[in-house]
């Protein structure tokens, strides 16, 4: 009986030692992780700067260069204003020519607000896109049903809509069906 208790004590002691080791290991990993977290983040920022240094369009967010090879003439952030406070698009002299494409109303016809159809019935046209279409002079299903490829490209540029969306959602086919109803 005494040998059994002695053996059980050894197993309990071994189990306690293993648990103490695991607890110590977990706590040390947690402590080291917190201790070196800021150094790790700084190292990751430096790596990102080095990766982007070769890209001529990349601008660093830091005011001091990493090294003589990496430093460029511009190390500050430069933003380009694209919208005014009211949401109105701003023309940038460096990026935009200021020339907007013009619609060829001869190919699909003219309409006014008195002839307006509910363009939201076309899948892919919501209230926002309907307002944009109305703003460039497109009010009816008949107009949309007559769009050519050039008209679709021009409308996409004018309303700043996702390229290819008009063809993918087949607005012209939907408009043909809706104008016949």
């Amino acid at each position: 009986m005494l040998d059994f208790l002695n053996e059980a004590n050894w197993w309990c002691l071994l189990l306690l030692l293993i648990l103490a080791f695991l607890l110590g290991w977990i706590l040390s990993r947690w402590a080291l992780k917190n201790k070196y977290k800021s150094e790790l983040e700084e190292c990751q920022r430096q790596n990102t700067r080095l990766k982007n240094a070769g890209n001529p369009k990349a601008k660093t967010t830091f005011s001091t260069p990493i090294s003589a090879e990496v430093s460029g003439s511009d190390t500050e952030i430069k933003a380009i204003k694209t919208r005014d406070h009211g949401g109105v698009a701003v023309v940038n002299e460096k990026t935009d020519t200021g020339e907007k494409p013009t619609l060829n109303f001869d190919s699909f016809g003219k309409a006014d607000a008195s002839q307006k159809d509910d363009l939201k019935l076309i899948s892919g046209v919501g209230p926002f896109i309907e307002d944009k279409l109305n703003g460039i002079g497109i009010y009816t299903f008949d107009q949309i049903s007559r769009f050519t490829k050039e008209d679709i490209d021009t409308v996409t540029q004018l309303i700043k809509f996702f390229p290819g969306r008009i063809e993918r959602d087949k607005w012209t086919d939907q408009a043909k069906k809706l104008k016949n109803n």
Side-chain angles (χ1 to χ4, degrees):
M1 178 79 175
L2 201 53
D3 289 334
F4 175 72
L5 290 176
N6 200 12
E7 188 177 329
N9 286 341
W10 279 106
W11 282 111
C12 286
L13 183 61
L14 181 64
L15 181 63
L16 285 173
L17 284 173
I18 291 172
L19 288 174
F21 170 76
L22 289 175
L23 182 63
W25 183 75
I26 291 170
L27 289 175
S28 67
R29 297 277 299 183
W30 177 76
L32 287 175
K33 180 180 171 187
N34 287 338
K35 181 178 179 183
Y36 296 111
K37 188 174 186 179
S38 62
E39 286 86 356
L40 179 64
E41 289 172 353
E42 179 62 28
C43 183
Q44 289 171 342
R45 279 194 293 273
Q46 293 289 345
N47 283 340
T48 302
R49 287 178 67 193
L50 286 171
K51 286 178 187 173
N52 291 336
N55 186 343
K57 293 184 179 181
K59 301 291 182 199
T60 180
T61 58
F62 302 93
S63 59
T64 57
I66 296 172
S67 65
E69 305 101 33
V70 178
S71 68
S73 60
D74 292 335
T75 57
E76 297 178 20
I77 297 174
K78 293 185 178 157
I80 298 173
K81 186 175 183 178
T82 57
R83 296 278 174 187
D84 202 355
H85 290 291
V88 179
V90 174
V91 176
N92 295 312
E93 297 82 27
K94 293 181 181 177
T95 58
D96 296 336
T97 59
E99 299 175 16
K100 289 187 176 182
T102 56
L103 284 172
N104 181 10
F105 285 103
D106 294 335
S107 72
F108 59 86
K110 290 187 177 185
D112 59 16
S114 65
Q115 302 167 321
K116 183 178 178 195
D117 289 327
D118 185 11
L119 300 180
K120 294 184 299 282
L121 295 175
I122 296 175
S123 175
V125 177
F128 179 74
I129 299 300
E130 182 182 39
D131 289 342
K132 286 194 163 238
L133 289 170
N134 292 339
I136 61 172
I138 298 171
Y139 294 97
T140 64
F141 297 133
D142 187 47
Q143 287 177 297
I144 295 174
S145 67
R146 296 183 192 178
F147 278 174
T148 63
K149 173 70 175 134
E150 292 79 24
D151 296 330
I152 290 171
D153 292 340
T154 305
V155 168
T156 301
Q157 287 179 349
L158 287 173
I159 65 174
K160 296 185 169 88
F161 198 53
F162 303 110
R165 177 80 183 262
I166 295 174
E167 291 103 343
R168 190 171 50 249
D169 287 346
K170 299 178 181 169
W171 285 11
T172 54
D173 294 340
Q174 291 182 56
K176 286 176 187 172
K177 291 176 185 172
L178 288 168
K179 84 174 185 180
N180 293 332
N181 290 339

